[in-house]
Amino acid sequence: RKASDESVTALVDEALRITGNLEPAPANARVTASSWRPAGRIRVWDDVNNTWKGVEGVIVKARRWFTTHQGMVDGNGNYSCDGTFKRDANYSLDWERYDFALREGWLDGANINGPKKEGNWDNDFNGDKNAFHAKVFIGAYHYYYKDIKGLRRPPQNGTFKTQMHIRCYNEANKDDNGNHREERRFLGLGNQIKIYNPQNPIDELYGTTIHELAHSSHWNMWR
């Protein structure tokens, strides 16, 4: 694997050099680049317990041309990707797992396009839309993948099934913290769950997400 990665890196660098797109090395660059592993920390401010909380379960990706490595954030907020680079890479984060995805619009996925850099990429979210997404993500990840004491899971992705779409409205709604509609699941085009009021504390956003996913877990029982 190491030899393969080095060969790919060499081929890409040569292609960039031939086409005139190879970035010049900084004056203080190492003569022979050593490998580095993308890693870092992703946390959100817990405004109930006044502490930083790891955004467990979110996937962070680092990409350089045709090579992408990824790592999953643990309960403490730390992640380490499954491969190395010899040059800087583009970081990114999607608020998505196989069974569910957060959305900002009707068809717009919620994500963060991070920096192109070498070294760790850390994020501490507090008071912005990313903090809103992080809090909703924690609730959805817990209900889908963590211990829920034997309760029924929400609808899962698969053959002839669709991914659960949770739209996060970055706006206040005095009448509704969230709602669900099974019919929005048709062809995977709609947003089956909607969450509002990003200003709510983490326990309320977590609770609303769990509440609406609990409704969705009953959809296949109605028949």
Side-chain angles (χ1 to χ4, degrees):
R1 173 68 182 274
K2 181 178 180 181
S4 177
D5 288 347
E6 290 179 350
S7 297
V8 170
T9 298
L11 286 171
V12 170
D13 285 349
E14 181 62 12
L16 292 174
R17 186 192 65 78
I18 293 172
T19 58
N21 292 309
L22 184 64
E23 300 163 355
N28 59 349
R30 297 179 295 269
V31 175
T32 302
S34 60
S35 297
W36 66 280
R37 183 178 301 277
R41 186 180 63 200
I42 308 293
R43 303 185 301 182
V44 64
W45 180 247
D46 180 343
D47 43 9
V48 173
N49 298 297
N50 293 319
T51 187
W52 291 103
K53 181 177 181 62
V55 188
E56 184 178 9
V58 72
I59 302 295
V60 178
K61 296 180 180 180
R63 175 184 57 82
R64 181 172 175 83
W65 290 92
F66 310 110
T67 301
T68 300
H69 299 305
Q70 65 181 31
M72 187 174 73
V73 176
D74 65 20
N76 295 316
N78 301 311
Y79 70 92
S80 179
C81 291
D82 55 2
T84 61
F85 295 100
K86 285 195 172 183
R87 294 181 180 271
D88 51 7
N90 294 94
Y91 277 101
S92 65
L93 179 159
D94 288 320
W95 299 109
E96 178 177 10
R97 293 299 301 263
Y98 177 72
D99 290 302
F100 71 89
L102 273 54
R103 285 180 166 181
E104 290 189 76
W106 181 46
L107 294 175
D108 299 329
N111 59 70
I112 302 173
N113 288 318
K116 182 177 183 180
K117 61 177 296 187
E118 178 178 333
N120 285 10
W121 184 45
D122 300 329
N123 280 290
D124 285 337
F125 304 127
N126 185 10
D128 58 7
K129 73 173 184 178
N130 292 321
F132 179 32
H133 294 157
K135 294 170 185 178
V136 173
F137 181 92
I138 289 172
Y141 177 76
H142 189 163
Y143 212 148
Y144 266 103
Y145 302 116
K146 301 291 284 185
D147 181 11
I148 57 172
K149 310 301 181 184
L151 296 177
R152 183 186 298 270
R153 299 285 182 186
Q156 294 172 301
N157 199 358
T159 305
F160 304 118
K161 299 178 181 179
T162 59
Q163 187 184 53
M164 177 68 72
H165 295 150
I166 304 172
R167 182 170 175 181
C168 298
Y169 286 81
N170 195 31
E171 59 188 56
N173 185 335
K174 64 182 179 63
D175 300 317
D176 197 5
N177 283 327
N179 60 65
H180 72 100
R181 294 289 186 276
E182 181 183 14
E183 57 268 25
R184 297 180 193 144
R185 202 180 186 198
F186 180 68
L187 298 179
L189 297 176
N191 298 298
Q192 303 95 307
I193 291 177
K194 298 180 179 181
I195 307 292
Y196 302 93
N197 299 320
Q199 76 282 355
N200 283 348
I202 190 171
D203 59 343
E204 292 189 28
L205 288 170
Y206 176 91
T208 298
T209 304
I210 293 292
H211 180 90
E212 300 305 334
L213 285 172
H215 280 300
S216 73
S217 71
H218 300 155
W219 289 347
N220 63 353
M221 299 171 64
W222 292 353
R223 298 174 183 82

